[in-house]
Amino acid sequence: MAGYFEAAPDGAAVIALDEVEVSILRSLAVQLLELIGPGREHEEGADPLAALFAEGPSSPPSDPALARLFPDAYVDPQAGDAVGREAREASAEFRRYTENDLRARKREDALAVVRGLDGLEPSGGGAVLRVAGDDARHWLGTLNDLRLTIGSRLGVTEDDEELYRLPDTDPRKPLVMAYLWLGGLQESLLETLV
């Protein structure tokens, strides 16, 4: 997994992916969709206008990965019980009015990634992915969300050098490798679009 995005002459970003890389990216994006959930707008008979005015949850998710994807706006998670009542109330209100839209955007991003991967035409055991325009925003959002999710599952911190030196026998090693690879993809995509 050494391929990274490169700039195309027309300003798009391109990357050659082998079948395994396509499969891993697709699987991770589908798992992200499952984690985020389907959303109310996908319920049978749902009124699209009512969905615009629907209030979201007022408390943070209990799953650490979802809590990382949908963090509190005004509460410092490191502060613990020292967080004031006003900050908790402001965070709950902010979440109630923004989380549904944020979930919908994250779903839209991940679905665009899955569709982009599904639309690839294989050639010689791999395919060339081309990302431009809105697709770049979808890809950047999903790559970031995947890294946040995997990082949360691994317990990654800023100064966590231990994870980068795991032996091959450690069951966390594949997740660490995916985390690092996704970071390289995200960074190379950003660099080609700047």
Side-chain angles (χ1 to χ4, degrees), residues 34-192:
E34 291 170 355
L35 179 66
I36 293 170
R40 291 185 185 141
E41 68 272 13
H42 296 292
E43 292 176 1
E44 191 172 325
D47 178 4
L49 187 58
L52 286 175
F53 299 103
E55 292 185 8
S58 59
S59 58
S62 58
D63 181 324
L66 283 173
R68 186 68 179 104
L69 291 174
F70 305 104
D72 276 326
Y74 303 108
V75 176
D76 178 3
Q78 305 300 323
D81 291 335
V83 175
R85 183 177 55 83
E86 289 178 12
R88 283 192 300 274
E89 288 174 0
S91 286
E93 185 173 350
F94 184 81
R95 179 180 300 283
R96 186 171 35 255
Y97 294 114
T98 61
E99 187 170 312
N100 286 343
D101 289 340
L102 185 55
R103 280 182 185 268
R105 186 186 53 96
K106 289 179 182 298
R107 271 192 299 278
E108 178 185 325
D109 289 348
L111 279 170
V113 167
V114 170
R115 288 181 187 125
L117 293 168
D118 287 348
L120 292 177
E121 296 187 24
S123 172
V128 175
L129 174 68
R130 178 181 176 71
V131 176
D134 283 342
D135 285 339
R137 182 185 59 80
H138 296 307
W139 271 89
L140 286 171
T142 297
L143 290 170
N144 187 59
D145 290 344
L146 289 170
R147 290 193 75 235
L148 288 173
T149 301
I150 292 171
S152 172
R153 296 286 190 238
L154 289 169
V156 172
T157 61
E158 288 181 34
D159 56 345
D160 201 349
E161 294 293 322
E162 172 203 332
L163 283 174
Y164 305 120
R165 294 188 197 93
L166 292 175
D168 290 342
T169 56
D170 191 302
R172 298 173 295 171
K173 182 76 174 208
L175 273 182
V176 171
M177 297 303 293
Y179 177 80
L180 295 172
W181 179 54
L182 292 168
L185 290 178
Q186 184 179 17
E187 183 178 346
S188 66
L189 180 55
L190 273 171
E191 287 174 355
T192 61

